Amino acid sequence: MSFTIHGLPVSQGIAIGHAHLVSHALLEVNHYQIAARHIKAELERFDNAVTSVEAELLNLKASAATAQPHSEVGAFIDLQRMMLEDPVLVEAARNKIKEHHYNAEWALVQQMESVVEQFRQIEDPYLRERKADVVQVVERLVKALLGDPGPLPPKRKDKFGTVIVAHDLSPADTIGFRDHIAGFITDIGGPTSHTAIVARNLGIPAVVGLRHIRNLLRANELIIVDGTRGIAIVDPDESVVEEYMLRRASLELERSKLKRLRDTPAATLGGEIIQLLANISGPQDMPQIKDINADGVGLFRTEFLFIDRDTLPDEDEQYEIYRSVVKAASGKPVTARTFDLGADKTLAGSSQSEPNPALGLRAVRYSLAEPKIFLTQLRALLRASAHGKLQIMIPMLMHTDEIEQTLTLIGKAKEELREEKIKFNEKLPVGGMVEVPAAALALGMFVRHLDFLSIGTNDLIQYTLAVDRGNESVVRLYDPLHPAVLKLISSTIQAAQRAELPVSVCGEMAGTSAYTLLLLGMGLRSFSMHPARILEIKQQILRADLAEITPKVQRILKLDEPARIREAVEKLGG
Ligand code: PEP
Ligand code: MG
C-alpha cells in the first residue's frame, strides 16, 4: 500500500530507489529461539563476543593512556570492563540463553533493560547515570555478535537506485555509502547536522527526521525521496513514479541551464564582484569545483580524512592530500580548516563518554588536547603551503589562549621544518572561525591575532539559540533569522571590515538563496558553500541591487519580531 511520510528536507533533488535497511545495533536486535542442540555453540558465540570486547576496551585504554595520560578516560573504560565481569549482566544473560533458549543478542538486550531499570531507581544521580555505561557495553557486545554490517547491495541494474533507510547515519556512514546510493532517509537528524551537510556535498537527495520510517519499511520496497519537499513516498503507484521521473528530468534541465553561468563573473547589478568559494571534504570534490569555476575553497573540512577509518593518517599521507587539493585549485585560494573532531564527528573506536559532546572536547579544544596529532596536521599543511595559495583556519575559537596556543604550535611546526630544510610558505595566513557567540561578541581579540575570519553560521545558530543542530525534536527552534543571530552575523562582518580583515560566511546560510540578499545587505562580499549551490547563488547575485538592498537590510536589523523579520527578508527579492 502506498503512503507518504513527511520529514525535513536536508538535501535537494529526487531519488527513486529500492530500500536498503541499515541496522542499528540495539534497536534492531533479532529475537529468536535457539534449538537445544545449538545452545552450546550460542554460548560460545556469546563468550567470544565478551572476550573480543574485553580486548577492544583494553586497547582503547592503552591508546587513551598514551594520548591523555592524566585524563579520566582510563577509569571510565575500567568501569565498563568491570561490567563485562558483572554476573548481573553477563551471567544472567548467559542463563537466558541456557534456560530460555534466547539468541545471544536478545538475551543481552533483555538483561540490559532490567539492569537499566534497576539503575533508574537509584537516588544517587552519579550512579543513576552509570546506566549509560551499561548500554554502551551492551552495544559493543551486540556489535561484536553481529560482526561486520556486511557489504552494501551491489549497484542495481534496473532504472532505480538504492535508498538507504536508517534510524540515523553518522557522517562516516554517509561517506561510506557515497558511491552506491541514490538517496537516504532517516528517523532522526536535523538540516545542519554534519550528516545532512555531507549528503548535500555529495549531491545525494535526503530527508531526515521521519520518526519511525525504519520500522515502517520492508527491504527492497520502492521509495521516492523528495529532498526538496522533505517527503518520502513508499510503494508509489506507477503514475506517481512517472510524475517523479519527469520532475527529476526537469530538475536536471534546470541544473544544466544554470551551468551556463559558469564563466559569468559573480557581479551585482552595480558591478561589485562577490567571491564565491566552495566547501569541500577532500580532493574528490575538486573536479566539481572546476566544473562550476568556483573562486577557490573557502572551507576544507579536513576532519573527514580522520573519520571512517581505523588508523590516523600520518604526516605524509595528509601532506599528499593537502597538496593535491592545493594543486587542483590551480592558484586559487584554499582554506583548510584544522580538524573539527568531537561532537558528531568522532574517530573510529573512540568512546563517547562526554555527556554534552557539542559543548565538550570539540574542534580546536580537541586539537589542543591532542598536540601530537595537531602538530602532525600543521606540519603537513605547512608543507602543502609550498605548492599554492593555502591558508589555515581554526574552528570554534572562543578564547585568546586558544589562538595563542595554536599560533605557538604553528611556530613550532615551522621551526622544525626550517631545521629539516623543508619548504613552506613563511607567511601562511592563519584565520579563525566565528561560530561561538563569545567569539562574535568579543571579536577584538580575534582581529588582533588573525589574518582572516569566517563565520560558521551552523554552529553560531546552534550555540546562540542553545538548539542542537542535529536534533529533530528541536529543529523548529533552529532559526537563522532570529534577531540575535542576525545581530551577531552583522556585527562580525562590520567589525572585520573596520579592521580590514577579510571575512566570509561558510555555514549553510551562505548557500541558501533565501538569505543571499540579506547577507549582501549586511556587507558580506565572500560566500563559501557546497559546490552544488554556487551557480544558484550566483544567479541571485546577478540580480542584486546593493544600493537598494543595503538600507532595507539595515532596517531589518532593527526589527525584533521574528515574523516581521521573515516577511521583510522575503520581500528583499522584490
Ligand atoms: C559552521 O558551523 O557553520 C561550519 C561551517 O562548520 P561545520 O558545519 O563543519 O561545523
Ligand atoms: Mg562549525
Side-chain angles (χ1 to χ4, degrees):
M1 196 195 64
S2 174
F3 64 94
T4 301
I5 170 158
H6 292 256
L8 303 166
V10 294
S11 182
Q12 292 193 350
I14 287 166
I16 307 175
H18 296 275
H20 174 71
L21 309 186
V22 176
S23 63
H24 177 285
L26 289 184
L27 295 179
E28 314 289 337
V29 156
N30 277 327
H31 297 188
Y32 53 92
Q33 286 202 299
I34 306 288
R37 65 180 188 288
H38 292 139
I39 294 293
K40 194 165 161 264
E42 191 67 2
L43 288 170
E44 249 173 52
R45 198 166 80 85
F46 179 87
D47 293 340
N48 288 342
V50 175
T51 316
S52 96
V53 170
E54 181 126 44
E56 201 178 302
L57 290 174
L58 272 175
N59 272 340
L60 258 179
K61 189 179 167 188
S63 57
T66 334
Q68 292 167 290
H70 305 298
S71 85
E72 290 175 341
V73 177
F76 284 125
I77 298 174
D78 279 340
L79 191 81
Q80 298 201 350
R81 283 182 50 227
M82 269 156 56
M83 284 177 185
L84 281 180
E85 285 157 20
D86 191 336
V88 179
L89 183 67
V90 175
E91 257 330 289
R94 274 185 119 253
N95 284 342
K96 284 197 158 60
I97 304 174
K98 264 195 282 192
E99 286 159 24
H100 303 294
H101 295 195
Y102 287 178
N103 62 309
E105 295 89 342
W106 184 15
L108 258 170
V109 172
Q110 269 246 331
Q111 193 51 31
M112 172 191 85
E113 278 163 6
S114 99
V115 176
V116 164
E117 196 41 50
Q118 289 168 28
F119 270 93
R120 261 197 208 111
Q121 318 285 340
I122 298 178
E123 292 228 337
D124 181 305
Y126 176 79
L127 286 177
R128 200 167 53 229
E129 283 317 308
R130 299 284 56 80
K131 65 178 187 296
D133 291 292
V134 182
V135 175
Q136 282 170 15
V137 166
V138 171
E139 189 157 16
R140 275 185 195 277
L141 284 167
V142 170
K143 278 190 181 150
L145 283 164
L146 295 175
D148 221 5
L152 270 171
K155 272 193 183 152
R156 300 190 72 98
K157 294 210 172 65
D158 63 10
K159 60 184 171 184
F160 302 127
T162 298
V163 169
I164 299 290
V165 183
H167 176 66
D168 189 16
L169 285 174
S170 68
D173 294 332
T174 317
I175 291 175
F177 289 139
R178 67 190 313 157
D179 296 330
H180 290 72
I181 62 167
F184 76 74
I185 52 181
T186 61
D187 288 345
I188 63 173
T192 51
S193 64
H194 284 108
T195 304
I197 292 173
V198 172
R200 278 194 290 271
N201 274 342
L202 300 176
I204 303 170
V207 179
V208 303
L210 287 159
R211 306 246 164 202
H212 303 294
I213 190 76
R214 175 64 188 76
N215 295 336
L216 296 174
L217 286 183
R218 286 190 306 265
N220 271 325
E221 220 159 2
L222 193 65
I223 308 171
I224 296 173
V225 181
D226 183 337
T228 311
R229 291 184 188 162
I231 55 174
I233 307 172
V234 181
D235 192 18
D237 297 336
E238 223 168 279
S239 60
V240 177
V241 174
E242 267 165 32
E243 183 199 317
Y244 266 91
M245 284 174 67
L246 279 176
R247 282 194 47 207
R248 193 171 59 179
S250 94
L251 276 179
E252 269 153 27
L253 186 71
E254 260 173 52
R255 227 174 269 162
S256 71
K257 277 195 200 148
L258 275 178
K259 280 196 187 137
R260 293 189 204 141
L261 297 181
R262 179 190 186 275
D263 296 318
T264 310
T268 62
L269 288 177
E272 180 139 9
I273 299 286
I274 307 298
Q275 190 180 38
L276 294 180
L277 302 160
N279 294 353
I280 64 162
S281 51
Q284 70 284 348
D285 299 329
M286 293 310 284
Q288 199 186 351
I289 292 192
K290 276 229 158 81
D291 279 354
I292 49 159
N293 197 15
D295 293 326
V297 173
L299 171 64
F300 174 5
R301 289 182 163 100
T302 62
E303 59 275 11
F304 286 109
L305 313 181
F306 292 75
I307 57 180
D308 194 30
R309 53 185 289 160
D310 295 326
T311 54
L312 291 175
D314 65 16
E315 182 182 316
D316 283 343
E317 182 182 343
Q318 289 189 54
Y319 163 66
E320 287 304 334
I321 292 170
Y322 304 144
R323 189 177 68 124
S324 79
V325 168
V326 169
K327 289 221 143 192
S330 317
K332 291 179 176 172
V334 172
T335 304
R337 172 173 77 186
T338 57
F339 57 83
D340 178 2
L341 290 164
D344 58 346
K345 291 179 289 193
T346 49
L347 294 174
S350 68
S351 55
Q352 286 248 328
S353 55
E354 290 188 288
N356 278 313
L359 301 183
L361 207 56
R362 196 198 143 181
V364 69
R365 304 172 182 181
Y366 186 99
S367 302
L368 291 172
E370 298 281 357
K372 241 175 102 194
I373 306 180
F374 198 18
L375 193 65
T376 304
Q377 178 176 43
L378 293 173
R379 281 180 53 108
L381 284 167
L382 277 161
R383 285 171 59 191
S385 72
H387 301 278
K389 228 171 163 184
L390 185 70
Q391 45 187 25
I392 295 183
M393 179 160 77
I394 320 295
M396 219 181 143
L397 284 170
M398 180 270 289
H399 212 287
T400 338
D401 290 354
E402 293 161 341
I403 306 176
E404 279 166 1
Q405 284 177 47
T406 305
L407 293 177
T408 305
L409 271 178
I410 294 175
K412 180 172 156 62
K414 283 184 173 174
E415 197 53 52
E416 287 179 5
L417 293 176
R418 262 184 230 116
E419 270 169 29
E420 293 162 38
K421 305 220 170 345
I422 297 175
K423 277 206 244 153
F424 64 91
N425 174 11
E426 285 280 357
K427 298 211 171 90
L428 174 96
V430 180
M433 291 189 71
V434 178
E435 43 186 355
V436 178
L441 291 167
L443 208 70
M445 58 186 172
F446 290 76
V447 168
R448 274 196 295 282
H449 290 88
L450 298 169
D451 300 314
F452 64 93
L453 299 175
S454 189
I455 308 174
T457 48
N458 304 337
D459 278 315
L460 187 62
I461 299 167
Q462 149 163 284
Y463 294 126
T464 304
L465 305 181
V467 173
D468 179 349
R469 61 194 266 192
N471 180 346
E472 86 289 353
S473 32
V474 286
V475 76
R476 315 253 169 251
L477 303 175
Y478 187 94
D479 181 9
L481 295 183
H482 189 290
V485 172
L486 298 187
K487 283 195 176 85
L488 290 176
I489 299 175
S490 154
S491 67
T492 303
I493 295 172
Q494 304 285 313
Q497 285 171 347
R498 274 198 304 276
E500 294 181 7
L501 219 56
V503 59
S504 71
V505 168
C506 62
E508 295 302 291
M509 277 183 89
T512 309
S513 52
Y515 306 139
T516 310
L517 299 181
L518 175 70
L519 292 170
L520 283 171
M522 288 181 183
L524 189 73
R525 299 293 179 261
S526 172
F527 293 63
S528 190
M529 66 202 81
H530 36 94
R533 307 287 313 143
I534 286 189
L535 295 179
E536 198 182 317
I537 298 300
K538 193 189 272 188
Q539 196 173 40
Q540 292 286 319
I541 288 168
L542 294 173
R543 297 173 186 155
D545 181 347
L546 293 183
E548 192 193 315
I549 303 163
T550 311
K552 285 190 185 165
V553 170
Q554 296 315 310
R555 282 198 290 277
I556 292 177
L557 291 172
K558 296 207 175 79
L559 300 176
D560 53 13
E561 273 291 320
R564 286 188 58 204
I565 294 177
R566 198 163 306 283
E567 200 185 321
V569 170
E570 276 166 19
K571 277 200 195 134
L572 279 176

